[in-house]
Amino acid sequence: MIPLKDNVPTRSFPIITITLMVVNILIFLWSWIQSSEYIEHFIFKYFAFNPAELLVSFTSRPDLLPYNMLTIFTSMFLHGGVLHVGGNMLYLWIFGNNIEDSMGRARFLVFYLLSGVIAALVQFSFDPTSSIPMVGASGAVSGVLGAYLLLFPRARIKTLVFIFIFITTVDIPAMVLLTIWFFFQITFSSAQGVAWFAHIGGFIFGVIASKLFLLGSRTGKTKP
């Protein structure tokens, strides 16, 4: 299932959502142009999040802790391929603009970045010795999905559905689509190669924290 658009209008231009998308895409294009093995190795070595290195900084090299914590932020803007960045940005565009509209721009930016941090730390807690670099906006975007589920459960999402050789579009309630998405993450959480627990952690954080980010907000808006 590939979401295409929702039916929830926004009241303001989603400048933060678009800026995040542009930054992610530009960084990906830059890293793609610099496609030599050296450049790729350099980018992933120094700017991706490495759980094992964070564990070392906690246990024996506290001087490296600021750097390893910083890589959690830089890793949110790196992607491993066209489908990786394309999928993340599609989900961010469809669901992020309404969350930004509800929270306000500054709060949404903090919420997005904090979702990414929490997601990375959840993944770290489940596999702290992994030396596989983590990259991608998936954890932060998962937080946006969790917030959308809580704030706009009755929204209708036009979704591209593949049924064997047939392709069609269906309007699916956000509650159904995002619940299926969440259980998909749980089902495959034992599979290698994807930071599934980062997705799960970011999503749960989004569900729990979204209402807090609406407290006292003048722009706060949800769909009943």
Side-chain angles (χ1 to χ4, degrees):
M1 297 187 295
I2 302 176
L4 301 176
K5 65 178 181 178
D6 67 359
N7 67 342
V8 182
T10 57
R11 300 169 299 178
S12 58
F13 185 74
I15 184 64
I16 299 299
T17 299
I18 291 177
T19 299
L20 288 169
M21 292 174 62
V22 169
V23 171
N24 274 280
I25 292 171
L26 288 178
I27 290 176
F28 172 75
L29 290 176
W30 174 79
S31 63
W32 180 68
I33 292 171
Q34 310 293 332
S35 58
S36 71
E37 291 186 7
Y38 171 77
I39 293 295
E40 186 171 317
H41 173 74
F42 174 83
I43 292 172
F44 280 76
K45 178 176 176 59
Y46 292 103
F47 297 102
F49 171 58
N50 189 313
E53 291 182 1
L54 180 61
L55 180 63
V56 169
S57 66
F58 278 136
T59 56
S60 59
R61 290 292 305 277
D63 56 304
L64 295 177
L65 186 59
Y67 163 74
N68 286 315
M69 291 299 294
L70 183 62
T71 60
I72 294 179
F73 290 96
T74 57
S75 67
M76 292 184 210
F77 297 93
L78 300 175
H79 289 86
V82 174
L83 292 179
H84 192 198
V85 67
N88 279 336
M89 295 306 101
L90 174 64
Y91 273 78
L92 180 57
W93 169 245
I94 294 172
F95 301 103
N97 58 350
N98 295 113
I99 305 305
E100 178 181 345
D101 196 41
S102 298
M103 294 181 178
R105 292 167 178 167
R107 292 187 185 203
F108 174 69
L109 179 59
V110 173
F111 172 80
Y112 177 88
L113 295 175
L114 191 56
S115 293
V117 171
I118 296 298
L121 292 178
V122 169
Q123 180 67 33
F124 169 78
S125 69
F126 278 92
D127 195 6
T129 61
S130 172
S131 59
I132 300 174
M134 280 177 53
V135 296
S138 304
V141 173
S142 297
V144 173
L145 300 186
Y148 196 98
L149 175 64
L150 189 70
L151 303 181
F152 303 97
R154 299 180 186 177
R156 309 290 292 190
I157 313 297
K158 184 174 289 295
T159 306
L160 191 66
V161 178
F162 298 84
I163 306 174
F164 299 106
I165 63 173
F166 301 102
I167 303 176
T168 186
T169 58
V170 181
D171 287 342
I172 302 177
M175 179 177 291
V176 174
L177 178 67
L178 296 178
T179 299
I180 292 173
W181 179 91
F182 180 69
F183 279 102
F184 182 87
Q185 312 307 306
I186 294 177
T187 301
F188 288 91
S189 60
S190 60
Q192 300 297 314
V194 176
W196 299 105
F197 285 106
H199 300 174
I200 295 169
F203 187 87
I204 293 175
F205 172 78
V207 172
I208 295 173
S210 55
K211 285 289 187 180
L212 297 176
F213 277 81
L214 289 177
L215 293 177
S217 173
R218 295 181 180 180
T219 59
K221 179 184 71 171
T222 63
K223 191 178 183 65

